[in-house]
Amino acid sequence: MIRTKTAIVVGAGAAAEVELLGQREMLGKIAQGFDFQRLGSDLATPEIEQFDKLFKRVKGEGENLRDAGMRIRAGSRLSSSIHALLQQHGEDKHVKAAGKLAIAHFTLQAERQSAMEAEPRDPGDMPFRGSENWLFQLGYMVVDGVSRSRAEHCFDNLHIVNFNCDRSIEHYMPWVLHSGFGMPITEAQDLCAEKLKVVQPYGRAGRLEWQTGSDEEAEWGADNPKALFKVAEGIRTASEFSEDRQLKASLQAGLANARRLAFIGFDFNSLDTSLLFQERLTHGPDVLVALREGEKEKVDTISRVLRNLGGIAPEALVAMHVGPSWQMLANHGLMIES
């Protein structure tokens, strides 16, 4: 059980580790899907044609949305993510609408194509198989040593900030409770709906059936273009997050109360980092950072960012791990649980 207030910041690298889309991969797919110059030729992909059909359904705006999609495609080479690109285009409503629709589409598609299933293939297993992934390691720490009678308290000290728009955490965790405590999956989902705290600054691609909220419902990996416009309404831009006082307060409260702070696949790009550290931390939490392979050269830069923007002193940085996030969580599980 996680016994000390802990915040986990989840970035694009963590999504990639469980076969979902990182930010650059997402942006690349959107740019390809908005290549409307290929319409009517043998080079037109099913996705280009699908987006064209979806845009045509918006009365009087189809051409504007296609133009916006082409602007997104043109700007994709000069942006670190689709979220940064939407921010670059300010309040252009057509770019915002096209971008949100594409994020919703490719997020659900990635869920559908990943190895994470709607439910486990075998009784007692997880929807994403194996233990060498960060979801399993986090789930292990959540239930480890907790009695069935205290299951409702296993999320008390955990606060998650997820900069991705997928629902992998919420989809996976009920199965952790189901397997760890032997409780019915419906009871596990109800417990997660009440106790699991996940803030997603950029929103989510719909809510799972058991989740609360006013977002459009979308099952794991849903493939329903008719509902896609409604699902896209649950996606937020950076500006929309910054204007949401309640959401911002929830994020900041989770960080301010945390004695342990772990970054999983968070690449510390300028936009995400500025949203995360809108307020400097003053209480000096212990910090763990897991970076992707090949990001070793960022270690010194990230240390400076944590100090200058986050207010985190160098001595608070317990570990800077270059490699799979699950390995960092496994290596430091005793500290996180203590």
Side-chain angles (χ1 to χ4, degrees):
M1 178 180 182
I2 298 174
R3 293 170 174 80
T4 301
K5 293 292 184 184
T6 299
I8 309 283
V9 180
V10 179
E17 284 188 27
V18 290
E19 299 184 16
L20 298 171
L21 289 178
Q23 293 196 11
R24 289 300 304 176
E25 293 84 359
M26 170 75 77
L27 185 58
K29 282 184 173 289
I30 291 174
Q32 292 172 14
F34 284 164
D35 190 2
F36 294 116
Q37 291 181 351
R38 297 189 177 194
L39 277 172
S41 74
D42 293 338
L43 299 176
T45 65
E47 236 128 33
I48 295 171
E49 294 172 348
Q50 182 179 354
F51 280 124
D52 182 54
K53 289 178 182 177
L54 285 169
F55 291 164
K56 283 177 179 176
R57 286 173 52 190
V58 184
K59 189 175 180 180
E61 295 286 8
E63 186 174 344
N64 290 329
L65 289 169
R66 274 193 300 276
D67 289 343
M70 291 295 287
R71 291 201 297 279
I72 290 174
R73 174 177 168 77
S76 63
R77 294 181 181 179
L78 298 171
S79 284
S80 57
S81 70
I82 182 60
H83 305 294
L85 185 50
L86 294 184
Q87 197 69 2
Q88 287 165 217
H89 282 269
E91 294 305 310
D92 187 318
K93 67 177 185 178
H94 295 107
V95 168
K96 191 156 59 172
K100 288 183 177 184
L101 194 72
I103 292 169
H105 168 79
F106 285 112
T107 298
L108 292 175
Q109 182 192 77
E111 289 181 355
R112 192 163 60 251
Q113 294 177 350
S114 79
M116 193 176 300
E117 301 164 319
E119 59 182 58
R121 197 175 304 170
D122 300 318
D125 208 342
M126 297 291 109
F128 191 83
R129 306 186 104 185
S131 59
E132 294 186 352
N133 66 80
W134 65 269
L135 283 169
F136 180 91
Q137 296 299 328
L138 181 59
Y140 174 91
M141 289 186 284
V142 163
V143 301
D144 184 33
V146 183
S147 65
R148 172 67 175 81
S149 62
R150 289 183 52 80
E152 65 183 278
H153 297 291
C154 62
F155 293 120
D156 284 357
N157 294 313
L158 179 63
H159 180 86
I160 300 173
V161 181
N162 184 7
F163 279 87
N164 305 308
C165 295
D166 63 77
R167 293 83 48 82
S168 57
I169 299 166
E170 297 94 323
H171 178 56
Y172 190 90
M173 283 300 157
W175 293 103
V176 170
L177 303 186
H178 169 69
S179 183
F181 297 123
M183 63 174 61
I185 187 61
T186 52
E187 182 182 347
Q189 290 168 340
D190 289 343
L191 196 155
C192 285
E194 181 183 358
K195 297 289 187 177
L196 179 60
K197 298 177 286 291
V198 182
V199 175
Q200 292 181 269
Y202 295 125
R204 62 187 179 189
R207 61 180 176 84
L208 299 170
E209 181 184 10
W210 54 267
Q211 288 184 283
T212 58
S214 57
D215 295 359
E216 180 72 11
E217 183 183 313
E219 64 185 13
W220 176 257
D223 184 14
N224 186 0
K226 291 181 180 178
L228 198 59
F229 286 98
K230 287 288 187 181
V231 171
E233 292 175 5
I235 305 298
R236 280 186 293 269
T237 64
S239 293
E240 289 167 342
F241 166 75
S242 295
E243 292 164 4
D244 190 322
R245 293 184 179 181
Q246 185 176 357
L247 197 62
K248 250 177 41 171
S250 177
L251 185 153
Q252 294 301 328
L255 295 184
N257 292 329
R259 302 305 305 174
R260 307 265 162 72
L261 180 56
F263 293 89
I264 299 177
F266 187 72
D267 66 2
F268 291 88
N269 68 70
S270 60
L271 182 61
D272 295 357
T273 305
S274 67
L275 294 183
L276 185 67
F277 292 129
Q278 292 190 15
E279 296 179 17
R280 286 167 62 87
L281 304 180
T282 58
H283 60 293
D286 293 330
V287 176
L288 302 167
V289 179
L291 300 172
R292 289 192 195 192
E293 293 285 359
E295 292 186 323
K296 189 174 182 179
E297 69 279 1
K298 291 185 177 181
V299 168
D300 290 340
T301 300
I302 290 171
S303 297
R304 290 189 177 93
V305 168
L306 288 171
R307 182 181 67 240
N308 297 337
L309 293 182
I312 296 168
E315 57 267 24
L317 187 57
V318 176
M320 189 85 77
H321 175 87
V322 180
S325 297
W326 71 265
Q327 211 162 49
M328 184 193 75
L329 292 178
N331 292 348
H332 297 277
L334 288 177
M335 187 190 83
I336 295 172
E337 284 193 62
S338 64

